[in-house]
Amino acid sequence: MIQHMVKEETKKLEVEIETLTNKLHKLEKENRFLQLTFEHANDAIILFNENVEFFQVNQKACELFELSREGLLGRKLHDFLDLMSKEEVEFQEAQLDELGELKNELVVRLDNGTIKYVEYSAVRNPDESGLDICIIRDITAKKKLEKESNKSKQMYHDVINRAVDGIVVFDKEGYFIDVNPAFCSNFAMPKLDLLQSKLDDFVEEDFQYKMKKIWSLLDNHGRVRGELPVILHTGERKTFEVTITANIYDDYYLAIMRDVTEKRNMELQLQKSEERFREMFQHALDAIVLVDNSGEIMRANPAASRAFELPLDELIHSKLHCFVPRHSKRVFSIMKQFVANGEIREELEFHMPNGQKKLLEFTANKGIIDGFNMIIFRNVSERRKMEKDLRESEQKFRKIFDNAMDGILLWDNKCNIIDANPNASKILKLPKEELVANYLHYYLQHEQFQDLQSHWKDCPNSEELSGEVCLEDETGMQIIEYSAKKNVIEGLHMTIFRNITEKREMEDQLRKSDTLTVVGELAAGIAHEIRNPMTALKGFIQLLQNSMNEDQYAMYFDVITSELKRIESIITEFLVLAKPQAISYQRKSVTVIMKETLDLLSAQASLDNVQFVTSIEEGLPDIYCEPNQLKQVFINILKNAIEVMPKGGTASVALSKEDGEQVLISIRDEGIGIPEDKLKKLGEPFYTTKDRGTGLGLMVSYKIVEEHNGTIEVSSELGKGTTFHIRLPIGTPTVH
């Protein structure tokens, strides 16, 4: 039983051994096949260990890396990847780890410096042996071909896209297949719209025969060249010079189209210019001749025949030097200059065959028409005589213009000042250059200019516009009297003006003087006629007042006495104006005089709720004056200051030294102020701004200050008050 079992087991083992033996033979056979495949494969096959070292390689791998098997085994793949960035190598390794297999490209540099592009397919540890299998193929030649192909394509695209001429590819139907930017620009359409069009669409019906001829020539010869007129979708017409080649790509055509519209227009213009030149040459008013370098007239126009007093057929082939004086140094100089410069513009006296002498102005240019020199002549004899007469006339006018006592301005229709004489600059206190750089209304106020412009439009050409305007400069307001005349020369107007400010001031002073004379005579008469009755009245009033014991009429007597004193003070002021006073000048302190005046008026100021504020500079020198008269001036002005502030206020008094030669007394109130038009009249006889005033107080004050060789200036601002500035000299005044 046991023996039988052993036999059975032995048989099983023999069967298994035979099976395993068969499998081993099969595996050895497969291994030999794989070994042969591995060794004789067309691609390089490499097994890498976990350190990416060459573990096993075939012959193609040795050929690829150009190393022996012994020289390659044990090397790392990274030794050949120094041309690739570290990041790119690591990225491909990470992809292989993640995916387990990878196809990609590498750039390897061999030990001998050769650079190769390879394409690989790698599998990570396929049989869990710890080895990676990688199949590598050399694609360097392919890369070079691709590079050359890309380079050729790029060059083609660069040529097409950068070409100045329009380039278009179209098929046998005429539809556009491709166009370059220059073509789009020439046809003023985007590329997408052009690719839906064909060449025939841009050719008008009248020129379709040209397209038929082009297609016929292309069919017969495969090439055509000519001109084609087209009309764009914008309506613009253009002419193109066209070169078309057939069958560049299969059944396509390549056309190079150059825009020659401008060139053709220029040729047309040139043709027209030549025609116009011929017309101008024949009908020109100036004499035109063409001469050769020897001076022989080769061609001349009819005007030249008239200028040189010869028939045209006799003038042609004449020598130009026959018409000028022989052996003239001026002629020799002109010829020398013409030869040196090739052009000249001069004047010369020509002697005509009929004995007439003419002064001709000429312009000569060397070799500009068919190699001949062109000379244009113009008779300027009459013009030179007229210019001489005009020059003499202008000199006369300029002398009158420059030496006129009044200012003169010449201006155009736009009010631009064209010219100005010296007195105009003097009156307006501006240099001539600044005057002519401005408009006339620059020197006038807007209201004045509007008014003048209105009158100027209504003024006929034959009449003058005259009047007065006020101009303001740094010295103050100037009064200008003017007279304007239209179109003294066509489009040129003249204004004559003078400064009459001093004249007006003298007239005002004369008027005031006449008024003062009348006032003086009137004052003298009134004073003498009234003073005697006044004395009698005062005496009898006092007697009557003393003879009455009762006080019931005391108030009446006081009023009568007060009014009599007022009349007497007015008469006294009259007498100041009536005749020169015997003034005794003394050296006195103006500070003391002012303080005494303020003390005198302090009671009245307190009653009217007015306060005096003084500002007196220390060390003011004494002045020569008549103290009582100065006190009278200060009283008059301070009383006015008190009266213009019925509700009270402050009267400011300031004394200071000015310029080392004068004492300045400023008296300022806080009244309602005086308008500017009334300020100018202050000090005139009987002019007052008060309801019950006589105007004599200020007039007397002005006269007293004038007697002291001083001045009074008044400044005022409405709503804020008025200031009187009194300036008195420190030195000895002139006795009037």
Side-chain angles (χ1 to χ4, degrees), residues 483-593:
S483 176
K485 179 74 174 176
K486 278 188 178 180
N487 294 318
V488 289
I489 301 173
E490 186 62 32
L492 197 64
H493 318 297
M494 180 175 69
T495 300
I496 301 174
F497 60 97
R498 62 170 64 97
N499 191 338
I500 60 170
T501 308
E502 293 183 2
K503 178 183 174 183
R504 288 286 181 266
E505 290 176 354
M506 289 176 64
E507 289 175 354
D508 291 342
Q509 290 176 3
L510 184 60
R511 188 170 60 252
K512 288 181 181 179
S513 178
D514 292 342
T515 305
L516 286 173
T517 301
V518 173
V519 169
E521 293 175 357
L522 179 63
I526 292 174
H528 285 292
E529 293 296 328
I530 295 179
R531 179 160 281 184
N532 290 334
M534 281 288 299
T535 305
L537 284 173
K538 285 176 68 177
F540 282 113
I541 288 296
Q542 288 176 356
L543 290 173
L544 185 60
Q545 187 177 8
N546 293 332
S547 64
M548 296 183 68
N549 296 325
E550 297 180 4
D551 294 335
Q552 58 179 340
Y553 301 109
M555 183 181 68
Y556 300 151
F557 287 127
D558 290 341
V559 172
I560 293 171
T561 303
S562 173
E563 292 302 317
L564 286 174
K565 286 181 179 179
R566 174 173 169 76
I567 294 172
E568 188 174 11
S569 68
I570 293 172
I571 292 171
T572 302
E573 290 178 346
F574 271 173
L575 289 175
V576 172
L577 301 172
K579 61 181 180 178
Q581 303 295 309
I583 300 174
S584 174
Y585 285 101
Q586 306 172 29
R587 181 173 284 280
K588 285 286 185 179
S589 170
V590 70
T591 303
V592 173
I593 297 172

